[in-house]
Amino acid sequence: MDIFSPCYNYLESQLGKATGFYPYFRVISSSDGPIVTVEGRQVLMLGSNNYLGLTHHPEVVKAAHDAIDRYGSACTGSRFLNGNLDLHQQLEAELAEFTGREEALVFSSGVLANIGTLGLLGGSQGAVVFLASDDHASLFDGARLSHGRIAIFDDMDDLERKLALRPSWSNAIVAVDGVFSMTGRVIDLQRLVALKRRFGFRLYLDDAHGFGVLGTQGRGTAESLGLSGDVDLMFATFSKALASVGGFVAGDKPVIEYLRHNVRTLIFSAALPPTSTAAALAALHVMQKDPGIFERMWENVAFFKRGVEALGYHTLGSRTPIVPLWIGSEARAFQYCREAFELGLFTTPAMYPAVPKGHAIIRTSVTPAHTKEHLQGALDILETLIKRHPLPQTDPDTLPPARETDIVEYATKVLEDPDFANRV
Ligand SMILES: Cc1ncc(COP(=O)(O)O)c(C=O)c1O
C-alpha cells in the first residue's frame, strides 16, 4: 500500500466544507483583542485562550517591539547551542520565583515542553505514567514517546483502584491537567495529593489553563488550594493567559538541570523567539502589578455564565473563564457555530476526542478585555440560537470521560497483564 494513501483518500474535511459547516482554520486578517476581522467582517472573539486579555496590552506589545529591535526576529538555533538569550534566563528566574520553585525551564511551545519532559521521565527504568483520560493530547504523546508503561484513569476512584494494586508507586508519575481545557473543570487536587502521600508517586501538573487565572496573582491551581509543595513538576504555557507562545516546567534544581541537558524537544528545537519571550515576561509583570485585571476577569465570567445559564445552556460545572456550552450532537454543534458566526460571534466547537462522542460543546471563553456590551451582544446571539434550535433535556453532569480509543486499549492491556503489578 502506498504510504500516502490515507492522505489521498482523506475526504472528511472536504465533506465538511461542502456542507458549509466547516469551522476550522478560519482566516483572521486583523485583531484588536475582542474584535477580529474574518472574511472581511468584524466579529466578536469569544473562542480564544486570551484569559487576561493581554495580547494587546500596551506594555506587552512594547516589550515585543523592543525585543525585535534588540535581538532581531529569531534565535535561529536551539538554546543548548547558540540561541540562549539573557531574556530566556530572566524569564526563567522570574517564573521560578513567581511559582515558588527552585528553577524553571523555558521551551518554544507548551506541547514541546510536555512531550519532551514526559517523554524523557516516562522512559526511566521501570517507570509507569498515569494519565487522566481527559488530559491534554501532549501528555498522551509524551507518555507514548517514552516507551514506558501507561495507565489511564477516569476519576479519583478509578485511580485509587489502580494504585491499590501495589503498596508503593515510587516508580510512577501521575500527569494531569489542573484545569481541563474543554470543560473548565478543576481537578480534585486535594484527593490526588492525598493519594500521592499514600502511594509515593511523583506529580506533574499541567496548569495551562490555571496559570494566570487561579490563585494569588494567577499563580495557578495548586497555589489556589495551598498545595504547591505537593506538585513535583509544574507546567504552564505562555499561549493562554500570558498572551504569547512557549511554555515552561518548574521544579527542583537537579530535576531542571537534568531536563535542560536531556530533553530532546528543547535541545533539538530552535529557541523561543525574542518577541515571544519578551511578551511573556511583560505579561508576567502585568499580572503582578495590576490586581484589577483579575477582578475584571471574574466579573465578566460571572456576568456571562449567569447569562448563558439563564438562557438554558448547561456549562458543565466550569469554575474558570472557560465557559463550555453543552450542545450534544456533533452536527448541531457545527450548526450552532456556523450560525453564531453569521450573527457576528467567533466560537469554537469541540468534538471527540476532545470531548466524549455525542457530547459536543461550543467552547467559549471570557476575558477582561470584553466589555459588558460585547458580552451582552454575545448573549443576545446565543438566545437567538437556542430559540432556533432548542437543546435536548439530557443531563450533561453525567458526562462520560473523553477517551482516545487506541491509547485506552493499550493502557487497559498493560493494566490487565497479570504480571503488571509484579513487574512494576
Ligand atoms: C492543557 C494543555 N496543555 C498543554 C497545551 C499546549 O500548549 P501550547 O499551545 O503552548 O503548545 C495546551 C494547549 O492547548 C493545553 O490546553
Side-chain angles (χ1 to χ4, degrees):
M1 190 187 82
D2 176 2
I3 199 164
F4 279 9
S5 34
C7 321
Y8 291 115
N9 295 330
Y10 178 69
L11 292 174
E12 275 177 40
S13 60
Q14 288 176 45
L15 289 173
K17 286 174 194 171
T19 61
F21 289 122
Y22 180 81
Y24 304 118
F25 295 99
R26 279 198 188 122
V27 181
I28 297 173
S29 53
S30 75
S31 163
D32 79 354
I35 303 291
V36 294
T37 308
V38 182
E39 296 167 13
R41 291 175 50 217
Q42 296 210 315
V43 292
L44 180 70
M45 172 52 84
L46 203 68
S48 77
N49 297 302
N50 191 13
Y51 299 132
L52 293 175
L54 293 180
T55 51
H56 293 67
H57 189 288
E59 289 177 32
V60 175
V61 172
K62 179 170 184 319
H65 277 283
D66 290 351
I68 207 166
D69 288 343
R70 179 157 167 204
Y71 303 92
S73 60
C75 300
T76 70
S78 92
R79 295 187 59 201
F80 188 63
L81 289 179
N82 52 10
N84 193 33
L85 305 180
D86 51 359
L87 265 186
H88 295 129
Q89 302 284 133
Q90 187 187 345
L91 180 55
E92 286 179 346
E94 293 198 22
L95 284 167
E97 196 185 337
F98 186 69
T99 57
R101 313 267 151 185
E102 286 178 3
E103 287 198 0
L105 185 61
V106 163
F107 289 76
S108 311
S109 87
V111 159
L112 288 176
N114 271 345
I115 291 182
T117 305
L118 220 51
L120 179 68
L121 296 176
S124 313
Q125 180 77 36
V128 182
V129 182
F130 281 86
L131 301 170
S133 45
D134 34 10
D135 272 349
H136 190 260
S138 54
L139 295 178
F140 282 89
D141 292 342
R144 270 186 186 126
L145 196 68
S146 74
H147 300 294
R149 276 162 292 184
I150 304 170
I152 295 179
F153 60 95
D154 289 336
D155 54 31
M156 292 301 148
D157 288 339
D158 191 23
L159 176 61
E160 186 168 358
R161 251 191 322 274
K162 285 168 180 162
L163 290 170
L165 287 170
R166 280 173 56 94
S168 156
W169 284 92
S170 57
N171 59 335
I173 186 162
V174 176
V176 288
D177 291 5
V179 172
F180 291 103
S181 55
M182 292 298 131
T183 58
R185 284 179 181 163
V186 180
I187 185 128
D188 184 351
L189 199 58
Q190 287 98 333
R191 177 107 188 259
L192 185 54
V193 164
L195 291 173
K196 176 180 190 268
R197 290 178 186 162
R198 183 169 147 207
F199 291 104
F201 52 80
R202 294 286 186 179
L203 180 53
Y204 183 97
L205 187 70
D206 174 339
D207 214 14
H209 300 271
F211 189 72
V213 172
L214 301 175
T216 321
Q217 296 173 325
R219 282 178 170 76
T221 307
E223 197 269 354
S224 76
L225 298 164
L227 296 172
S228 299
D230 292 282
V231 173
D232 296 295
L233 262 181
M234 168 181 177
F235 158 88
T237 165
F238 307 142
S239 65
K240 305 188 193 304
L242 264 68
S244 182
V245 70
F248 73 96
V249 290
D252 289 351
K253 190 175 158 71
V255 178
I256 299 299
E257 184 68 0
Y258 176 69
L259 297 179
R260 188 179 285 123
H261 293 92
N262 291 281
V263 171
R264 294 166 68 84
T265 54
L266 179 81
I267 294 173
F268 295 105
S269 185
L272 186 69
T275 43
S276 308
T277 315
L281 191 56
L284 187 64
H285 294 165
V286 174
M287 276 162 61
Q288 291 171 84
K289 65 182 186 199
D290 179 10
I293 205 164
F294 296 99
E295 279 161 37
R296 292 194 296 282
M297 176 182 75
W298 289 119
E299 208 181 291
N300 278 352
V301 171
F303 174 81
F304 183 68
K305 205 157 166 283
R306 247 195 332 268
V308 287
E309 284 172 356
L311 292 174
Y313 289 96
H314 197 301
T315 56
L316 304 179
S318 170
R319 289 198 279 122
T320 67
I322 301 166
V323 185
L325 310 176
W326 184 84
I327 302 294
S329 88
E330 284 75 13
R332 195 184 309 116
F334 280 130
Q335 187 170 31
Y336 260 71
C337 262
R338 177 76 231 168
E339 293 186 23
F341 183 70
E342 283 162 5
L343 295 169
L345 202 56
F346 192 120
T347 58
T348 49
M351 323 262 158
Y352 175 83
V355 291
K357 281 189 180 142
H359 288 278
I361 60 170
I362 306 284
R363 183 185 182 279
T364 67
S365 65
V366 176
T367 86
H370 286 120
T371 62
K372 284 282 172 337
E373 291 69 36
H374 288 142
L375 296 177
Q376 188 54 55
L379 290 172
D380 293 344
I381 292 171
L382 291 169
E383 182 174 13
T384 305
L385 289 178
I386 203 167
K387 282 186 176 153
R388 272 188 204 165
H389 310 289
L391 295 173
Q393 291 302 304
T394 51
D395 178 10
D397 276 337
T398 55
L399 201 68
R403 313 206 293 184
E404 285 188 71
T405 337
D406 62 335
I407 189 154
V408 170
E409 273 168 13
Y410 168 76
T412 308
K413 268 190 219 131
V414 168
L415 273 181
E416 284 172 355
D417 176 351
D419 275 347
F420 176 70
N422 304 330
R423 277 195 286 112
V424 292

